[in-house]
Amino acid sequence: MSITTDDFKITGTFSIENTPTNIELELTAKKKVKKIEKTSVKLGKLQDKMYANNRYGVLICIQGMDTSGKDSLIREVFKNFNARGVVVHSFKTPTPNELDHDYLWRHYIALPERGKFSVFNRSHYENVLVTRVHPEYLLNENLPGIEKVKDITEGFWEERFKQINSFEKHIAQNGTIVLKFFLHLSKEEQRQRLLRRLEKEERYWKFSAGDLDERDLWGKYQKYYEEAINKTSTNHAPWYAIPADDKETARLLVAKAILNELKKYDFQEPEVNEDVLDNIALYRVKLLNEKPGNK
């Protein structure tokens, strides 16, 4: 199967129910792993050019239901990067300090420097997903005009979508390439993954009773994911719906999608100073003739 970015990019109306959670790539698991490795190496080399170019940063947002494979995908896709070239941020429940700022503040300060990648393991979209399913969480933000859950109207959420779109447009216009991935997992596959966490003692720590509580709200999450993606997939910050029932397939699709998008940019390395070029031979001779151990 030929993989192209456009196969998974949301450019029209997104229907979560009609989008597959699994696709057949006609590749063995071993071949998928090899392709992931090769693509990861290419991405790492591309990031080196980006670093020298010093004009763009890349923001990768990874969203998905519990057990959708976010952590392992990030590990495998970005493992061949120079350590200085990629920073992963896992956004959990906001801290008291974060709640003393607007909801986008902690995401602003985690944006990538020019030449680097920031990967958001969960992202600013939690503010129109988790808080939508659990609107009582919004009361912790101490927002003007929001005293109780009944004060949270549909208009409030519409404004949040506009704010998120403005945020992404602003950073894109200032050199941040924004790519967003929804790991689309089936409810049955989540059930199997949760069961596997309970089969071996060394996996118990991954399981939380809260996982089952959130699973009971599956329908709500699916509804709000669909709405969020439809309202925020733009040319400057597109969403990709990635079939996630098979982890190797999801990793390969994400890696390929990132690579295909970044190939559209011409990351030219800076020109070498003419004085350096004119004296390359002299510098080499000087270094070659230097005696070992000289201080």
Side-chain angles (χ1 to χ4, degrees):
M1 175 181 177
S2 178
I3 300 171
T4 66
T5 300
D6 290 340
D7 292 331
F8 310 100
K9 185 187 290 187
I10 307 301
T11 56
T13 301
F14 171 61
S15 168
I16 200 165
E17 184 178 2
N18 296 322
T19 300
T21 60
N22 199 9
I23 59 170
E24 187 58 57
L25 293 183
E26 298 180 356
L27 293 170
T28 64
K30 182 178 282 190
K31 286 185 177 180
K32 289 177 193 175
V33 170
K34 286 184 178 180
K35 284 183 175 289
I36 295 165
E37 179 72 18
K38 287 182 180 179
T39 308
S40 176
V41 169
K42 289 179 181 178
L43 283 171
K45 290 179 179 179
L46 195 58
Q47 186 274 318
D48 283 338
K49 291 186 68 174
M50 279 180 51
Y51 186 81
N53 181 253
N54 197 38
R55 188 173 296 273
Y56 295 95
V58 179
L59 173 61
I60 305 294
C61 297
I62 309 290
Q63 288 285 158
M65 297 293 287
D66 291 334
T67 77
S68 59
K70 297 182 290 294
D71 292 341
S72 59
L73 182 146
I74 291 168
R75 181 188 68 235
E76 295 302 318
V77 171
F78 298 98
K79 68 181 181 181
N80 287 298
F81 277 55
N82 186 311
R84 72 182 181 183
V86 58
V87 180
V88 179
H89 302 272
S90 295
F91 292 102
K92 301 184 184 299
T93 302
T95 65
N97 181 46
E98 290 168 344
L99 287 170
D100 279 340
H101 297 80
D102 73 273
Y103 71 96
L104 287 172
W105 176 78
R106 64 176 180 163
H107 305 288
Y108 262 114
I109 63 176
L111 290 174
E113 301 172 28
R114 299 190 192 280
K116 296 186 179 183
F117 278 62
S118 281
V119 182
F120 285 4
N121 184 348
R122 300 190 185 276
S123 66
H124 45 292
Y125 282 94
E126 295 293 283
N127 296 282
V128 288
L129 292 168
V130 174
T131 52
R132 198 118 189 245
V133 175
H134 300 283
E136 66 276 13
Y137 293 174
L138 272 174
L139 301 181
N140 295 325
E141 295 183 25
N142 203 26
L143 294 169
I146 305 293
E147 302 293 337
K148 52 188 179 300
V149 169
K150 287 185 179 180
D151 294 331
I152 306 168
T153 65
E154 284 301 310
F156 173 87
W157 297 114
E158 288 299 320
E159 283 302 314
R160 282 228 155 165
F161 288 128
K162 290 179 184 178
Q163 291 161 4
I164 287 172
N165 282 328
S166 295
F167 163 66
E168 293 175 348
K169 185 175 183 180
H170 169 71
I171 63 176
Q173 289 175 333
N174 284 275
T176 300
I177 301 166
V178 185
L179 304 174
K180 303 175 296 194
F181 296 93
F182 167 53
L183 303 187
H184 188 22
L185 186 74
S186 69
K187 193 174 184 180
E188 173 57 22
E189 179 60 23
Q190 188 196 58
R191 186 178 74 89
Q192 294 296 335
R193 292 182 185 182
L194 287 171
L195 281 171
R196 285 197 288 274
R197 289 181 178 181
L198 297 174
E199 287 172 355
K200 294 184 179 180
E201 189 173 343
E202 62 267 24
R203 292 182 179 178
Y204 288 173
W205 67 271
K206 289 186 175 183
F207 183 83
S208 167
D211 295 339
L212 298 183
D213 294 333
E214 294 301 285
R215 180 173 167 79
D216 288 339
L217 299 168
W218 183 275
K220 282 190 175 182
Y221 274 106
Q222 298 296 290
K223 174 185 175 182
Y224 294 137
Y225 261 113
E226 181 178 275
E227 184 175 355
I229 290 170
N230 276 317
K231 290 185 181 294
T232 61
S233 193
T234 60
N235 289 333
H236 56 267
W239 273 104
Y240 302 81
I242 302 296
D245 280 1
D246 179 80
K247 288 187 176 183
E248 282 76 23
T249 295
R251 294 166 189 168
L252 180 57
L253 295 181
V254 169
K256 285 284 190 180
I258 296 171
L259 183 62
N260 290 341
E261 282 293 334
L262 295 186
K263 280 181 177 178
K264 298 175 183 178
Y265 294 82
D266 186 17
F267 301 124
Q268 293 289 336
E269 296 178 357
E271 293 184 6
V272 180
N273 185 287
E274 286 188 11
D275 288 340
V276 173
L277 285 174
D278 291 342
N279 292 284
I280 288 290
L282 177 64
Y283 299 144
R284 290 187 75 253
V285 169
K286 184 176 180 179
L287 289 168
L288 287 169
N289 290 335
E290 186 176 292
K291 293 181 179 180
N294 282 357
K295 294 183 180 181

